[in-house]
Amino acid sequence: MRTSIATVSLSGPLTEKLTAAARAGFDGVEIFENDLIGSPLTPEEIRERTADLGLTIDLYQPMRDIEAVPEGEFARNLRRAEHKFRLMRRLGADTVLVCSSVSPQAHDDDALAAEQLRRLADLAQEFDIRIAYEALAWGRHVSTYDHAWRIVEAADHPALGVCLDSFHILARGSDPAGIEDIPGDKIFFLQLADAPLMALDVLQWSRHYRCFPGQGDLDVAGLVGAAVRAGYEGPLSLEVFNDVFRQAEAGRTAVDAQRSLALLQESAGLTTPPAPVVPTGFAFVEIATADTARITPLLTALGFSRTARHSGKPVDLWEQGAARILLNTDTGSHRPDPSLTAIGLENPDPAAASSRAESLLAPVLPRRRAPLDAPLDAVAAPDGTEFFFCATGRPGHPSWTGDFTPAAHTPGGIGVTRIDHVALTQPWHQFDEAALFHRSVLGLQPHASIDLADPYGLLRSRAASNPEGTVRIALGVGASPTDDPARPQHVALVTDDLVTAVRRARAAGARLLPVPANYYDDLAARHEFAPGELETYRELGILYDRDEKGEFRHCYSATIGSLFFELVERMGGYDGYGAQNAPVRLAAQRT
Amino acid sequence: MRTSIATVSLSGPLTEKLTAAARAGFDGVEIFENDLIGSPLTPEEIRERTADLGLTIDLYQPMRDIEAVPEGEFARNLRRAEHKFRLMRRLGADTVLVCSSVSPQAHDDDALAAEQLRRLADLAQEFDIRIAYEALAWGRHVSTYDHAWRIVEAADHPALGVCLDSFHILARGSDPAGIEDIPGDKIFFLQLADAPLMALDVLQWSRHYRCFPGQGDLDVAGLVGAAVRAGYEGPLSLEVFNDVFRQAEAGRTAVDAQRSLALLQESAGLTTPPAPVVPTGFAFVEIATADTARITPLLTALGFSRTARHSGKPVDLWEQGAARILLNTDTGSHRPDPSLTAIGLENPDPAAASSRAESLLAPVLPRRRAPLDAPLDAVAAPDGTEFFFCATGRPGHPSWTGDFTPAAHTPGGIGVTRIDHVALTQPWHQFDEAALFHRSVLGLQPHASIDLADPYGLLRSRAASNPEGTVRIALGVGASPTDDPARPQHVALVTDDLVTAVRRARAAGARLLPVPANYYDDLAARHEFAPGELETYRELGILYDRDEKGEFRHCYSATIGSLFFELVERMGGYDGYGAQNAPVRLAAQRT
């Protein structure tokens, strides 16, 4: 289906919004009236610019407080509408959105509403314009789509139809199945937005917290399916009011929006892009640093050995069990602090995963930037982290390990078996985009969003994983935008015996994060432990959590720059990340 | 009454919170458990640090999900409580907050709740500790203060009383009058927070949007009055969870908090600080700039004349009607861009106004920093703007104009009669603090907060004025914190004939903000005008607004650095600021 986006969904002046929408591949736009009013371009110039960019103007919006009012008031409304219809002709827009009235003067009188909308449609028809009537969720008398449809049906005018907005319909809990009872050619327009479920006044919810389909909790795909079954053939158009998108760069918001629509059409069964290929494990993480003086002693103390060196690049492979870390000193910059720049994911079908990523507008990495020579498929996530689709050691696939020459080393280790999860702090404006990327492009399932208390603000965190829990990525975001480019990252390593692993790491000189004694006094109050157990945790700086499924032990290394490591032991079916302990960890990292 | 603040209301590690509270003059603190757990200090060290700072520990909090549970569960809860009581003895805290249970295991059984709380109080008494039982607004079975009191009354134990929290009581719309029926010695603790009225889930509202009394919409003073009439003699303690305060610097948040309590005690009739003295008009605004090359042509074109020069400092007085602008080139810095640094307010009793400001912890300006020599009283607002209390030309008061020597000038002007308002963008973390300052220290009445759409985010704006509308200050704040130190400021000037004034200013070469033609097409749709009226607005770049009380015409100068001027004409009883036109103005200023 054709795709469209409301200019209000993007930041900046109108011309920047149009350019961003065109570059991201949208077919059309909805022109939000305030964007036009604030623009120095005439309607004719906007029409020309839009056409030059290959965009159609699918909707002009909104027209408010028109119907079911006293006759004198309605005469003034018709006069106002005529001005707007003339403007729309100059603009080349042929459909206008009319929202159900919120005016205190409006009567609760469907017959009057239908009669006045019919007269409005008569006037519109003279200008070859169509009226798409939408029930606002907070409309004074008309607040549900079926009610709006009954009025449109009664008005019975060829230039009058309904506009369906997924937010207004789903936020009120209306059943979208009734959409199928509306003739498709009377559904003049379909506006799409998602939103996280919130117990908030619906007007505020709508104006500040809408997001692109797939980023929230509403079943937008189900609604689209109903509209298509009803026979709707117009564009799928995104209308999203969001406080963060308003500040974000329009170009990347538009790409995020297109990706959302691609996933939505797939979910609604309208398209069949390359299917997602769920990763099965971590192949490696790559850490780049110009200066290895601080990172290699820590890796060594954590039990890693340098097992191989890349044949042609200054990249070392460090291994322990199935945990692999690439240390890349070819950073192309002067940053001495190590940072996590790439993640290799084991994938059953790397080529298919790459095709899917491409179909979802994920930036495919140019080969020359890749730290590896094997023809691996790789894409860049919104935060710049590179994801490689790997088939380590599997016959018939190029193995990235082939680029490496084994180095002499003494096998050892502290008992780390593999990577448990990677935690990546996201740029503030890209948190929802990142969650959608990890879900749609990488095929991971996102979990609920939680707040973690840092001494200087609340952090939001959301994990995504594969069903087996062998690939886990935790996305975090700070309390507010910051210009500090150093965003905390960490790599968590699995061990089956954390106490032994920590003892060995400490003996090898690993610097671990000190945990305040008060934490253990609190643990003693909250749980009962086997004799000596709590004392061991206290001695070694081990954190502990328990839920109905199992237990979790973990500890953290000291931080180098903004990178640190975690050692974890999962017991029973514990599936979390020790969120209960996050405030203590964050406070300790601040001191 | 004694004042106290919960450590959770301030940002940073525990030691910084304690220091900030002590410096702002608090008598005590509530220790929030997570702050203690995250601290590397032992309870004994915290006790010592607190005592060294002159603070008492008035409350340890919170203890959750204790009461009305199955016996096995309660036994575990008693064990947990005993750990905490031992900790409190080490800490030197003798009152603990117990919140009403939110546990799904809790029974709706007041008799069981009373019996278990009595047993908890028995245990507490062994440690010389008192239990303050609080009804959480979202408690599972106990969510109102009168319900909590009935349980405490039934338990009838000397170590058990209630904790009253203004948020939990007022957010649910409970009538605080019933507090007077509780014996004062059974009100063990009083926690205070305000909040803006929001249609939001009460738990989210409580955790993110509480603010200090006087910054929101709740009648906290009325509640305090009821508690005092009941005989409560404990501290007034602030417990505020706020996403912004969490990030702000603890020292200034603590001062803001103390100012809030001072105003609260005055409002509740508990103290009689120097009464507010409401200003009656603007005496002057001061603009500092190292380079006058851009500002003086603009002032001249706007009809101002340089009428006098300071006898001993590089400060010029520019006048037109009763509008006075001081141009100060002694900036002590290299900033060439002009910025508004001081505002003189006409005050009936400058000395009394200054005493009030001092009693409310407003930083009184050291004389040497003042740009004027006359012994004027002045204070610094949270954003650094200096406010002078003036009695221009009134006998018996020092007149700041006496410092100036008249300069030869040609009287003229474009018809400006006085200053209408000053608009100051606030640092992001200090918006609520600024609103409280303008209300409490300057004696202005705050109006409702509104959102204005800028192309790159929503701006929040809140005006404060005196009753006559002759002093108006509009406080604004951006969508998110920014490191850009240039915050937009503007000065609005009154004229009785804007059209003539604009013609004259343009003829004199004033650069005014261009307004898009589309704006006038929209005006034509929205309103009917006298013949030629709209064309005049279009020709001159005049913006227009109308409400039920009157009409408003205004226009803006070009911006120099981040400073600009506005010319306004108020007709009839129009009392606003043309918010309807703000998106157009903001978009035009972005281009």
Side-chain angles (χ1 to χ4, degrees):
Chain A
M1 293 172 83
R2 299 183 64 255
T3 60
S4 189
I5 187 166
T7 54
V8 72
S9 311
L10 302 170
S11 72
L14 180 58
T15 49
E16 283 182 23
K17 295 174 189 229
L18 296 176
T19 305
R23 288 207 180 135
F26 280 93
D27 302 306
V29 291
E30 303 175 24
I31 300 277
F32 187 65
E33 182 162 276
N34 274 354
D35 284 321
L36 177 127
I37 293 175
S39 172
L41 270 58
T42 64
E44 291 80 3
E45 288 167 337
I46 293 168
R47 173 188 201 146
E48 193 177 350
R49 177 76 63 102
T50 312
D52 287 350
L53 289 166
L55 295 168
T56 51
I57 296 179
D58 295 325
L59 190 76
Y60 184 76
Q61 65 125 317
M63 200 174 277
R64 298 183 192 278
D65 294 333
I66 289 279
E67 83 287 10
V69 290
E71 182 58 30
E73 175 93 7
F74 184 66
R76 281 191 293 279
N77 291 350
L78 276 184
R79 178 186 164 281
R80 168 159 65 98
E82 186 171 341
H83 267 93
K84 296 300 177 186
F85 294 156
R86 288 188 197 284
L87 170 76
M88 286 173 63
R89 287 273 52 101
R90 296 170 63 196
L91 195 58
D94 61 11
T95 306
V96 64
L97 174 71
V98 170
C99 306
S100 63
S101 182
V102 299
S103 164
Q105 268 129 54
H107 296 295
D108 185 6
D109 181 342
D110 286 2
L112 180 63
E115 188 238 313
Q116 293 185 340
L117 285 174
R118 190 186 311 121
R119 287 163 64 194
L120 181 72
D122 272 337
L123 179 64
Q125 204 169 25
E126 292 175 29
F127 293 89
D128 218 6
I129 280 170
R130 304 192 311 165
I131 308 285
Y133 181 58
E134 171 184 87
L136 291 179
W138 54 89
R140 189 163 170 83
H141 302 297
V142 179
S143 58
T144 59
Y145 77 91
D146 48 314
H147 190 178
W149 163 238
R150 285 197 304 274
I151 291 171
V152 166
E153 194 175 22
D156 189 26
H157 193 290
L160 180 67
V162 292
C163 173
L164 302 178
D165 181 307
S166 66
F167 180 85
H168 289 295
I169 294 169
L170 300 174
R172 286 189 60 102
S174 295
D175 181 355
I179 292 173
E180 298 184 47
D181 300 333
I182 306 174
D185 62 356
K186 295 302 270 185
I187 303 175
F188 280 9
F189 211 76
L190 187 55
Q191 292 182 307
L192 303 176
D194 198 347
L197 286 178
M198 299 175 87
L200 183 69
D201 168 67
V202 70
L203 177 63
Q204 295 301 318
W205 190 21
S206 170
R207 293 210 173 146
H208 301 283
Y209 298 100
R210 289 183 182 215
C211 55
F212 295 125
Q215 296 177 343
D217 298 316
L218 305 182
D219 181 15
V220 183
L223 184 144
V224 168
V228 170
R229 283 191 295 277
Y232 175 70
E233 292 182 342
L236 296 177
S237 189
L238 295 164
E239 188 197 27
V240 168
F241 306 85
N242 181 292
D243 287 355
V244 175
F245 296 167
R246 281 179 190 275
Q247 303 170 51
E249 195 261 306
R252 59 183 311 152
T253 306
V255 170
D256 183 27
Q258 262 294 354
R259 183 176 302 137
S260 153
L261 278 188
L263 188 68
L264 177 72
Q265 292 181 79
E266 178 187 27
S267 305
L270 302 175
T271 57
T272 48
V277 192
V278 178
T280 55
F282 285 101
F284 63 83
V285 299
E286 186 207 18
I287 293 168
T289 181
D291 173 10
T292 59
R294 288 190 296 164
I295 185 87
T296 57
L298 180 58
L299 286 178
T300 304
L302 290 175
F304 283 85
S305 300
R306 192 172 72 86
T307 57
R309 185 165 181 94
H310 193 277
S311 320
K313 294 178 181 171
V315 179
D316 285 342
L317 172 60
W318 292 69
E319 290 187 87
Q320 183 177 190
R324 302 183 199 92
I325 295 174
L326 299 180
L327 206 55
N328 184 350
T329 52
D330 184 19
T331 66
S333 79
H334 304 294
R335 55 179 178 194
D337 284 337
S339 67
L340 203 157
T341 49
I343 294 172
L345 296 178
E346 296 293 348
N347 196 290
D349 188 345
S354 185
S355 299
R356 176 167 178 85
E358 210 163 343
S359 79
L360 289 166
L361 309 181
V364 174
L365 288 184
R367 189 70 53 199
R368 59 182 169 74
R369 284 189 53 207
L372 304 171
D373 286 337
L376 282 177
D377 297 290
V379 294
D383 67 352
T385 304
E386 302 172 351
F387 281 87
F388 288 81
F389 301 118
C390 304
T392 311
R394 283 211 302 280
H397 289 279
S399 182
W400 60 275
T401 50
D403 299 339
F404 286 79
T405 309
H409 68 279
T410 318
I414 63 169
V416 165
T417 56
R418 60 179 179 85
I419 293 171
D420 182 81
H421 67 276
V422 173
L424 302 169
T425 304
Q426 300 298 301
W428 193 75
H429 292 115
Q430 291 151 33
F431 188 70
D432 285 336
E433 178 188 354
L436 185 66
F437 178 94
H438 284 257
R439 176 181 159 201
S440 63
V441 176
L442 301 183
L444 300 176
Q445 191 56 43
H447 304 282
S449 193
I450 53 172
D451 283 341
L452 306 175
D454 176 86
Y456 293 97
L458 293 178
L459 310 183
R460 197 148 68 102
S461 176
R462 187 170 192 185
S465 71
N466 66 357
E468 302 78 32
T470 53
V471 176
R472 298 169 181 266
I473 295 174
L475 303 173
V477 73
S480 62
T482 164
D483 289 343
D484 185 355
R487 300 189 303 269
Q489 304 170 316
H490 82 262
V491 179
L493 304 163
V494 175
T495 165
D496 295 331
D497 179 356
L498 185 67
V499 169
T500 301
V502 173
R503 286 198 198 283
R504 287 182 184 165
R506 285 192 176 273
R511 285 177 50 232
L512 301 182
L513 185 73
V515 176
N518 298 326
Y519 169 76
Y520 296 99
D521 292 344
D522 181 60
L523 265 193
R526 287 195 287 124
H527 303 295
E528 291 188 72
F529 293 94
E533 184 179 356
L534 189 62
E535 289 62 37
T536 302
Y537 297 162
R538 190 192 293 264
E539 173 205 341
L540 297 175
I542 289 174
L543 301 163
Y544 177 86
D545 192 27
R546 184 187 292 181
D547 66 12
E548 61 285 356
K549 295 194 219 148
E551 292 173 284
F552 188 58
R553 296 195 268 238
H554 58 142
C555 71
Y556 296 89
S557 77
T559 301
I560 302 177
S562 53
L563 180 74
F564 57 96
F565 293 88
E566 182 181 3
L567 294 169
V568 310
E569 180 182 357
R570 296 179 179 274
M571 293 168 282
Y574 185 94
D575 199 36
Y577 301 83
Q580 165 86 27
N581 299 323
V584 173
R585 187 256 298 175
L586 290 162
Q589 288 178 326
R590 291 280 192 180
T591 54
Chain B
M1 292 171 84
R2 299 183 65 256
T3 59
S4 190
I5 187 165
T7 53
V8 73
S9 312
L10 302 170
S11 72
L14 181 58
T15 50
E16 282 181 23
K17 296 175 187 227
L18 296 175
T19 304
R23 287 209 180 131
F26 280 92
D27 301 307
V29 290
E30 304 175 22
I31 300 279
F32 187 65
E33 183 162 275
N34 274 353
D35 284 322
L36 176 128
I37 293 175
S39 173
L41 271 58
T42 64
E44 290 79 4
E45 287 167 337
I46 294 169
R47 173 188 202 147
E48 192 177 353
R49 177 75 63 98
T50 312
D52 287 349
L53 289 165
L55 295 167
T56 52
I57 296 179
D58 294 327
L59 190 75
Y60 185 75
Q61 65 124 318
M63 202 174 275
R64 299 184 191 276
D65 294 332
I66 289 279
E67 83 286 12
V69 290
E71 181 59 30
E73 176 95 6
F74 184 66
R76 281 191 292 277
N77 291 350
L78 276 184
R79 178 186 164 281
R80 167 160 65 100
E82 184 170 341
H83 268 93
K84 296 301 177 186
F85 294 157
R86 289 189 199 283
L87 169 75
M88 287 174 63
R89 287 274 51 102
R90 295 170 63 197
L91 195 58
D94 61 11
T95 306
V96 65
L97 175 71
V98 171
C99 306
S100 63
S101 182
V102 298
S103 165
Q105 268 128 55
H107 296 295
D108 186 6
D109 182 341
D110 287 1
L112 181 63
E115 188 239 311
Q116 292 185 341
L117 285 174
R118 190 185 311 118
R119 286 163 63 194
L120 181 72
D122 272 338
L123 178 64
Q125 205 168 24
E126 293 175 28
F127 292 88
D128 217 6
I129 281 170
R130 304 192 312 165
I131 307 286
Y133 181 59
E134 171 184 87
L136 290 180
W138 54 89
R140 189 162 170 83
H141 301 297
V142 179
S143 58
T144 59
Y145 76 91
D146 48 315
H147 191 178
W149 163 238
R150 284 198 304 276
I151 291 170
V152 166
E153 195 176 21
D156 190 25
H157 193 290
L160 179 67
V162 292
C163 172
L164 301 178
D165 181 307
S166 66
F167 180 86
H168 290 294
I169 294 170
L170 299 174
R172 285 190 60 100
S174 295
D175 181 355
I179 292 173
E180 298 185 48
D181 300 332
I182 306 174
D185 62 356
K186 294 303 272 186
I187 305 176
F188 280 7
F189 211 74
L190 187 55
Q191 291 182 308
L192 303 175
D194 199 347
L197 288 178
M198 298 175 89
L200 183 70
D201 169 68
V202 70
L203 178 63
Q204 294 302 317
W205 189 20
S206 169
R207 293 213 173 144
H208 300 284
Y209 297 101
R210 290 183 181 215
C211 54
F212 294 127
Q215 295 177 343
D217 298 315
L218 305 181
D219 181 16
V220 183
L223 184 145
V224 168
V228 170
R229 283 191 295 278
Y232 175 70
E233 292 181 340
L236 297 177
S237 189
L238 296 164
E239 188 198 26
V240 168
F241 306 84
N242 180 293
D243 286 355
V244 175
F245 297 167
R246 280 180 190 274
Q247 303 170 51
E249 195 262 307
R252 58 184 311 152
T253 306
V255 169
D256 184 27
Q258 262 293 353
R259 183 176 300 135
S260 154
L261 278 189
L263 188 69
L264 177 72
Q265 292 182 79
E266 178 187 26
S267 306
L270 303 175
T271 56
T272 48
V277 193
V278 178
T280 56
F282 285 101
F284 63 83
V285 298
E286 186 207 20
I287 293 167
T289 181
D291 173 10
T292 60
R294 288 191 295 163
I295 185 90
T296 59
L298 181 57
L299 286 178
T300 304
L302 291 175
F304 283 85
S305 300
R306 190 173 72 87
T307 57
R309 187 168 179 90
H310 193 278
S311 321
K313 294 178 181 170
V315 180
D316 286 342
L317 171 61
W318 292 68
E319 289 187 88
Q320 182 176 191
R324 302 182 199 94
I325 294 173
L326 298 180
L327 207 55
N328 185 351
T329 52
D330 184 19
T331 67
S333 79
H334 306 292
R335 57 176 174 194
D337 284 337
S339 67
L340 203 156
T341 49
I343 294 172
L345 296 178
E346 296 293 348
N347 196 290
D349 188 345
S354 184
S355 299
R356 176 166 179 85
E358 209 162 343
S359 79
L360 289 166
L361 309 182
V364 174
L365 289 184
R367 189 69 55 197
R368 63 183 166 72
R369 283 190 52 208
L372 304 169
D373 286 338
L376 282 177
D377 296 291
V379 293
D383 66 353
T385 305
E386 302 172 350
F387 280 87
F388 287 81
F389 301 119
C390 304
T392 312
R394 283 211 303 282
H397 289 280
S399 181
W400 59 274
T401 50
D403 298 339
F404 285 80
T405 309
H409 68 279
T410 318
I414 62 168
V416 166
T417 56
R418 61 181 179 82
I419 293 169
D420 183 80
H421 66 274
V422 174
L424 303 170
T425 303
Q426 300 297 301
W428 194 76
H429 292 112
Q430 290 151 34
F431 188 71
D432 284 336
E433 177 187 356
L436 184 66
F437 178 95
H438 283 258
R439 174 180 160 203
S440 63
V441 176
L442 301 183
L444 300 176
Q445 191 57 41
H447 304 282
S449 195
I450 53 173
D451 282 341
L452 307 175
D454 176 86
Y456 292 97
L458 293 178
L459 309 182
R460 197 148 67 103
S461 175
R462 188 171 193 185
S465 70
N466 65 359
E468 301 79 31
T470 52
V471 175
R472 297 169 182 268
I473 296 174
L475 303 173
V477 74
S480 61
T482 164
D483 289 343
D484 185 355
R487 299 189 303 268
Q489 304 171 316
H490 83 262
V491 179
L493 303 163
V494 176
T495 164
D496 295 332
D497 179 355
L498 183 68
V499 169
T500 302
V502 173
R503 287 199 195 284
R504 288 182 183 164
R506 286 192 175 273
R511 285 177 52 230
L512 301 183
L513 185 73
V515 176
N518 297 328
Y519 170 75
Y520 297 100
D521 293 343
D522 182 61
L523 265 192
R526 286 196 287 125
H527 303 296
E528 291 189 72
F529 293 95
E533 185 180 355
L534 189 61
E535 290 63 36
T536 302
Y537 297 161
R538 189 192 292 264
E539 173 204 343
L540 297 175
I542 288 174
L543 301 163
Y544 176 88
D545 192 26
R546 186 188 289 181
D547 67 12
E548 61 284 357
K549 295 195 218 147
E551 292 172 284
F552 187 58
R553 295 195 267 240
H554 58 141
C555 71
Y556 296 89
S557 77
T559 301
I560 302 177
S562 54
L563 179 74
F564 57 97
F565 293 88
E566 181 181 4
L567 294 169
V568 310
E569 180 182 357
R570 295 179 180 275
M571 293 168 282
Y574 185 94
D575 199 37
Y577 301 83
Q580 165 85 28
N581 299 322
V584 174
R585 187 256 296 175
L586 290 163
Q589 288 178 327
R590 290 280 192 180
T591 54

